[in-house]
Amino acid sequence: MRQYHYQATDETLTALRLLRGPWARMHVIDTAVTVVLADERAVIIQVEAADVEDAFEAFRLMAMIDPTPMVYGEAFEAFAHPGNDIVLFTGATWSEPNAQLRDPLSDPLIAQPAVMHFSGHPGQLSDTAEIVCITTDAVVVATSEGKGMLIRTGLKPYSLDVVHDPALVRAFLLERGYQSEA
């Protein structure tokens, strides 16, 4: 197995740490989340890609600080107080050689062996993975009052999923094996 790492940079970590402070507003589109902090700086979260090998691309979260944001967004009271907790999650993208696309008896034209690409977390890697790239694919922000939000790489390239539903955030945390220290 060939293994690569494409995880969060120091710049991303620095920007995400700012999310611990009080938020004023937030703006979400398919490809970016902009959080404007109470001090009027903004943290912009997006997805970036790396061509790890020919025809094998991996995606990670990236964040940057914008000192003069031109985004207004909606007021976001849930994270308006300092003391938010930030948790980054490690993901994995891998390829499986000779994956069977269809049943050869029902659709012989498409039943050719192929290389398939999968995304998940490192605990889901199979023994037959040929190429693996370890990434930073999600962040959960939680308030001291127990409200949380998940921001993760989306299914479409360069897209983000933003999840506010407590049950879905909890399910993600359990799937990733996260246990609170509390």
Side-chain angles (χ1 to χ4, degrees):
M1 168 187 343
R2 296 184 307 278
Q3 186 168 342
Y4 301 91
H5 291 270
Y6 188 57
Q7 293 177 284
T9 64
D10 289 342
E11 178 184 18
T12 291
L13 296 176
T14 298
L16 291 174
R17 283 185 186 111
L18 292 178
L19 297 178
R20 292 176 178 160
W23 301 12
R25 55 194 184 278
M26 185 172 84
H27 181 73
V28 178
I29 58 173
D30 289 345
T31 57
V33 173
T34 302
V35 175
V36 180
L37 304 168
D39 67 6
E40 289 301 316
R41 291 182 295 170
V43 175
I44 302 169
I45 303 169
Q46 296 176 307
V47 175
E48 64 181 353
D51 288 325
V52 179
E53 287 189 11
D54 290 337
F56 184 78
E57 196 170 39
F59 296 92
R60 72 175 174 197
L61 291 182
M62 64 87 60
M64 62 186 158
I65 301 166
D66 182 354
T68 56
M70 299 299 288
V71 171
Y72 292 101
E74 295 183 30
F76 210 72
E77 295 295 320
F79 295 90
H81 303 288
N84 299 320
D85 193 19
I86 310 298
V87 181
L88 289 175
F89 289 88
T90 300
T93 302
W94 67 95
S95 68
E96 294 280 340
N98 301 318
Q100 200 72 325
L101 293 176
R102 299 269 173 117
D103 177 13
L105 298 176
S106 66
D107 197 350
L109 295 177
I110 304 179
Q112 302 299 318
V115 174
M116 296 289 293
H117 297 264
F118 299 92
S119 291
H121 60 84
Q124 295 174 306
L125 288 171
S126 73
D127 293 336
T128 59
E130 182 178 59
I131 304 169
V132 176
C133 187
I134 303 299
T135 63
T136 302
D137 70 337
V139 61
V140 171
V141 183
T143 69
S144 57
E145 291 83 32
K147 295 182 180 176
M149 177 176 51
L150 165 65
I151 302 170
R152 64 179 171 195
T153 57
L155 292 176
K156 292 185 342 184
Y158 300 98
S159 69
L160 286 170
D161 289 335
V162 179
V163 179
H164 299 279
D165 182 310
L168 295 176
V169 173
R170 188 171 23 264
F172 174 85
L173 293 171
L174 291 172
E175 176 186 293
R176 292 295 180 99
Y178 180 78
Q179 296 182 20
S180 174
E181 293 176 10

